[in-house]
mmCIF file of all heavy atoms in Angstrom:
data_model
loop_
_atom_site.group_PDB
_atom_site.id
_atom_site.type_symbol
_atom_site.label_atom_id
_atom_site.label_comp_id
_atom_site.label_asym_id
_atom_site.label_seq_id
_atom_site.Cartn_x
_atom_site.Cartn_y
_atom_site.Cartn_z
ATOM 1 N N ALA A 258 -61.365 42.477 -24.866
ATOM 2 C CA ALA A 258 -61.297 43.791 -24.157
ATOM 3 C C ALA A 258 -61.283 44.886 -25.210
ATOM 4 O O ALA A 258 -60.829 44.702 -26.335
ATOM 5 C CB ALA A 258 -60.036 43.862 -23.305
ATOM 6 N N THR A 259 -61.822 46.043 -24.788
ATOM 7 C CA THR A 259 -61.760 47.232 -25.634
ATOM 8 C C THR A 259 -61.328 48.447 -24.816
ATOM 9 O O THR A 259 -61.465 48.451 -23.583
ATOM 10 C CB THR A 259 -63.150 47.545 -26.277
ATOM 11 O OG1 THR A 259 -64.101 47.767 -25.218
ATOM 12 C CG2 THR A 259 -63.603 46.436 -27.188
ATOM 13 N N ILE A 260 -60.812 49.432 -25.536
ATOM 14 C CA ILE A 260 -60.433 50.694 -24.882
ATOM 15 C C ILE A 260 -60.816 51.830 -25.816
ATOM 16 O O ILE A 260 -60.507 51.775 -27.030
ATOM 17 C CB ILE A 260 -58.926 50.699 -24.512
ATOM 18 C CG1 ILE A 260 -58.577 51.985 -23.745
ATOM 19 C CG2 ILE A 260 -58.046 50.514 -25.747
ATOM 20 C CD1 ILE A 260 -57.211 51.907 -23.067
ATOM 21 N N THR A 261 -61.454 52.849 -25.288
ATOM 22 C CA THR A 261 -61.862 53.985 -26.120
ATOM 23 C C THR A 261 -60.744 55.000 -26.225
ATOM 24 O O THR A 261 -59.731 54.922 -25.529
ATOM 25 C CB THR A 261 -63.109 54.650 -25.525
ATOM 26 O OG1 THR A 261 -62.712 55.312 -24.302
ATOM 27 C CG2 THR A 261 -64.216 53.675 -25.246
ATOM 28 N N SER A 262 -60.974 56.003 -27.098
ATOM 29 C CA SER A 262 -59.991 57.058 -27.246
ATOM 30 C C SER A 262 -59.828 57.849 -25.933
ATOM 31 O O SER A 262 -58.774 58.437 -25.686
ATOM 32 C CB SER A 262 -60.390 58.006 -28.391
ATOM 33 O OG SER A 262 -61.702 58.509 -28.183
ATOM 34 N N GLY A 263 -60.856 57.802 -25.098
ATOM 35 C CA GLY A 263 -60.789 58.500 -23.821
ATOM 36 C C GLY A 263 -60.200 57.664 -22.694
ATOM 37 O O GLY A 263 -60.066 58.140 -21.552
ATOM 38 N N GLY A 264 -59.920 56.398 -22.992
ATOM 39 C CA GLY A 264 -59.310 55.524 -22.010
ATOM 40 C C GLY A 264 -60.259 54.628 -21.249
ATOM 41 O O GLY A 264 -59.826 53.842 -20.379
ATOM 42 N N SER A 265 -61.547 54.675 -21.568
ATOM 43 C CA SER A 265 -62.488 53.781 -20.918
ATOM 44 C C SER A 265 -62.277 52.339 -21.393
ATOM 45 O O SER A 265 -62.091 52.138 -22.605
ATOM 46 C CB SER A 265 -63.920 54.210 -21.176
ATOM 47 O OG SER A 265 -64.156 55.490 -20.643
ATOM 48 N N THR A 266 -62.366 51.403 -20.489
ATOM 49 C CA THR A 266 -62.108 50.002 -20.851
ATOM 50 C C THR A 266 -63.322 49.128 -20.575
ATOM 51 O O THR A 266 -64.184 49.432 -19.753
ATOM 52 C CB THR A 266 -60.910 49.446 -20.049
ATOM 53 O OG1 THR A 266 -61.177 49.579 -18.646
ATOM 54 C CG2 THR A 266 -59.637 50.210 -20.403
ATOM 55 N N ASN A 267 -63.330 48.005 -21.293
ATOM 56 C CA ASN A 267 -64.396 47.025 -21.145
ATOM 57 C C ASN A 267 -63.810 45.647 -21.314
ATOM 58 O O ASN A 267 -62.943 45.466 -22.193
ATOM 59 C CB ASN A 267 -65.502 47.265 -22.187
ATOM 60 C CG ASN A 267 -66.639 46.268 -22.063
ATOM 61 O OD1 ASN A 267 -67.245 46.146 -21.019
ATOM 62 N ND2 ASN A 267 -66.911 45.541 -23.166
ATOM 63 N N TYR A 268 -64.234 44.681 -20.491
ATOM 64 C CA TYR A 268 -63.642 43.361 -20.525
ATOM 65 C C TYR A 268 -64.720 42.277 -20.575
ATOM 66 O O TYR A 268 -65.796 42.438 -19.977
ATOM 67 C CB TYR A 268 -62.786 43.108 -19.281
ATOM 68 C CG TYR A 268 -61.573 44.021 -19.174
ATOM 69 C CD1 TYR A 268 -61.646 45.199 -18.477
ATOM 70 C CD2 TYR A 268 -60.367 43.674 -19.790
ATOM 71 C CE1 TYR A 268 -60.556 46.052 -18.379
ATOM 72 C CE2 TYR A 268 -59.267 44.514 -19.684
ATOM 73 C CZ TYR A 268 -59.349 45.707 -18.983
ATOM 74 O OH TYR A 268 -58.272 46.512 -18.889
ATOM 75 N N ALA A 269 -64.401 41.184 -21.213
ATOM 76 C CA ALA A 269 -65.241 40.010 -21.110
ATOM 77 C C ALA A 269 -65.164 39.485 -19.692
ATOM 78 O O ALA A 269 -64.137 39.609 -19.036
ATOM 79 C CB ALA A 269 -64.753 38.921 -22.090
ATOM 80 N N ASP A 270 -66.277 38.926 -19.216
ATOM 81 C CA ASP A 270 -66.299 38.436 -17.849
ATOM 82 C C ASP A 270 -65.228 37.408 -17.597
ATOM 83 O O ASP A 270 -64.662 37.324 -16.494
ATOM 84 C CB ASP A 270 -67.676 37.839 -17.555
ATOM 85 C CG ASP A 270 -68.777 38.869 -17.405
ATOM 86 O OD1 ASP A 270 -68.441 40.054 -17.212
ATOM 87 O OD2 ASP A 270 -69.957 38.496 -17.485
ATOM 88 N N SER A 271 -64.900 36.623 -18.610
ATOM 89 C CA SER A 271 -63.941 35.529 -18.435
ATOM 90 C C SER A 271 -62.539 36.015 -18.192
ATOM 91 O O SER A 271 -61.679 35.234 -17.743
ATOM 92 C CB SER A 271 -63.960 34.632 -19.668
ATOM 93 O OG SER A 271 -63.660 35.346 -20.843
ATOM 94 N N VAL A 272 -62.216 37.287 -18.497
ATOM 95 C CA VAL A 272 -60.857 37.766 -18.335
ATOM 96 C C VAL A 272 -60.757 38.899 -17.320
ATOM 97 O O VAL A 272 -59.640 39.362 -17.024
ATOM 98 C CB VAL A 272 -60.268 38.238 -19.681
ATOM 99 C CG1 VAL A 272 -60.381 37.135 -20.738
ATOM 100 C CG2 VAL A 272 -60.926 39.531 -20.162
ATOM 101 N N LYS A 273 -61.871 39.343 -16.756
ATOM 102 C CA LYS A 273 -61.834 40.457 -15.784
ATOM 103 C C LYS A 273 -60.956 40.075 -14.619
ATOM 104 O O LYS A 273 -61.024 38.977 -14.082
ATOM 105 C CB LYS A 273 -63.258 40.742 -15.298
ATOM 106 C CG LYS A 273 -64.072 41.577 -16.234
ATOM 107 C CD LYS A 273 -65.465 41.888 -15.671
ATOM 108 C CE LYS A 273 -66.283 42.713 -16.643
ATOM 109 N NZ LYS A 273 -67.659 42.934 -16.141
ATOM 110 N N GLY A 274 -60.120 41.036 -14.210
ATOM 111 C CA GLY A 274 -59.217 40.805 -13.103
ATOM 112 C C GLY A 274 -57.918 40.123 -13.483
ATOM 113 O O GLY A 274 -56.986 40.051 -12.670
ATOM 114 N N ARG A 275 -57.832 39.591 -14.720
ATOM 115 C CA ARG A 275 -56.621 38.918 -15.160
ATOM 116 C C ARG A 275 -55.946 39.634 -16.317
ATOM 117 O O ARG A 275 -54.716 39.630 -16.413
ATOM 118 C CB ARG A 275 -56.943 37.483 -15.588
ATOM 119 C CG ARG A 275 -57.553 36.633 -14.501
ATOM 120 C CD ARG A 275 -57.678 35.158 -14.941
ATOM 121 N NE ARG A 275 -58.556 35.001 -16.099
ATOM 122 C CZ ARG A 275 -58.182 34.438 -17.232
ATOM 123 N NH1 ARG A 275 -56.959 33.983 -17.386
ATOM 124 N NH2 ARG A 275 -59.055 34.296 -18.219
ATOM 125 N N PHE A 276 -56.732 40.244 -17.188
ATOM 126 C CA PHE A 276 -56.193 40.903 -18.367
ATOM 127 C C PHE A 276 -56.349 42.437 -18.225
ATOM 128 O O PHE A 276 -57.312 42.913 -17.615
ATOM 129 C CB PHE A 276 -56.949 40.474 -19.631
ATOM 130 C CG PHE A 276 -56.713 39.077 -20.067
ATOM 131 C CD1 PHE A 276 -56.037 38.144 -19.266
ATOM 132 C CD2 PHE A 276 -57.191 38.657 -21.305
ATOM 133 C CE1 PHE A 276 -55.839 36.835 -19.693
ATOM 134 C CE2 PHE A 276 -56.991 37.339 -21.743
ATOM 135 C CZ PHE A 276 -56.340 36.443 -20.915
ATOM 136 N N THR A 277 -55.417 43.169 -18.811
ATOM 137 C CA THR A 277 -55.481 44.613 -18.810
ATOM 138 C C THR A 277 -55.147 45.136 -20.203
ATOM 139 O O THR A 277 -54.086 44.816 -20.739
ATOM 140 C CB THR A 277 -54.489 45.235 -17.799
ATOM 141 O OG1 THR A 277 -54.768 44.722 -16.485
ATOM 142 C CG2 THR A 277 -54.619 46.750 -17.757
ATOM 143 N N ILE A 278 -56.059 45.962 -20.732
ATOM 144 C CA ILE A 278 -55.799 46.576 -22.019
ATOM 145 C C ILE A 278 -55.342 48.018 -21.799
ATOM 146 O O ILE A 278 -55.795 48.680 -20.871
ATOM 147 C CB ILE A 278 -57.088 46.551 -22.889
ATOM 148 C CG1 ILE A 278 -56.777 47.047 -24.328
ATOM 149 C CG2 ILE A 278 -58.219 47.371 -22.274
ATOM 150 C CD1 ILE A 278 -57.927 46.851 -25.296
ATOM 151 N N SER A 279 -54.402 48.457 -22.640
ATOM 152 C CA SER A 279 -53.933 49.829 -22.543
ATOM 153 C C SER A 279 -53.536 50.319 -23.941
ATOM 154 O O SER A 279 -53.361 49.497 -24.858
ATOM 155 C CB SER A 279 -52.732 49.932 -21.598
ATOM 156 O OG SER A 279 -51.636 49.150 -22.040
ATOM 157 N N ARG A 280 -53.441 51.624 -24.112
ATOM 158 C CA ARG A 280 -53.033 52.158 -25.404
ATOM 159 C C ARG A 280 -52.032 53.258 -25.179
ATOM 160 O O ARG A 280 -52.124 54.042 -24.225
ATOM 161 C CB ARG A 280 -54.239 52.665 -26.192
ATOM 162 C CG ARG A 280 -55.045 53.792 -25.554
ATOM 163 C CD ARG A 280 -56.378 54.002 -26.275
ATOM 164 N NE ARG A 280 -56.234 54.625 -27.584
ATOM 165 C CZ ARG A 280 -57.226 54.710 -28.456
ATOM 166 N NH1 ARG A 280 -58.417 54.221 -28.180
ATOM 167 N NH2 ARG A 280 -57.036 55.308 -29.643
ATOM 168 N N ASP A 281 -51.046 53.332 -26.079
ATOM 169 C CA ASP A 281 -50.037 54.357 -26.066
ATOM 170 C C ASP A 281 -50.178 55.096 -27.395
ATOM 171 O O ASP A 281 -49.638 54.651 -28.420
ATOM 172 C CB ASP A 281 -48.648 53.758 -25.880
ATOM 173 C CG ASP A 281 -47.576 54.823 -25.744
ATOM 174 O OD1 ASP A 281 -47.757 55.956 -26.206
ATOM 175 O OD2 ASP A 281 -46.510 54.486 -25.150
ATOM 176 N N ASN A 282 -50.871 56.199 -27.390
ATOM 177 C CA ASN A 282 -51.139 56.945 -28.629
ATOM 178 C C ASN A 282 -49.838 57.446 -29.266
ATOM 179 O O ASN A 282 -49.732 57.523 -30.493
ATOM 180 C CB ASN A 282 -52.115 58.087 -28.402
ATOM 181 C CG ASN A 282 -53.519 57.625 -28.090
ATOM 182 O OD1 ASN A 282 -53.882 56.493 -28.455
ATOM 183 N ND2 ASN A 282 -54.275 58.458 -27.417
#
């Protein structure tokens, strides 16, 4: 998974719906 500085996220198909990425600047 990735998360941009603007908060947009991207996930591998294998983890979609199960994993969540987040960032606390």
Side-chain angles (χ1 to χ4, degrees):
T259 60
I260 185 167
T261 69
S262 55
S265 297
T266 58
N267 180 56
Y268 296 92
D270 287 343
S271 59
V272 306
K273 281 182 181 176
R275 300 188 297 123
F276 291 10
T277 303
I278 188 171
S279 60
R280 62 192 287 170
D281 186 335
N282 290 338

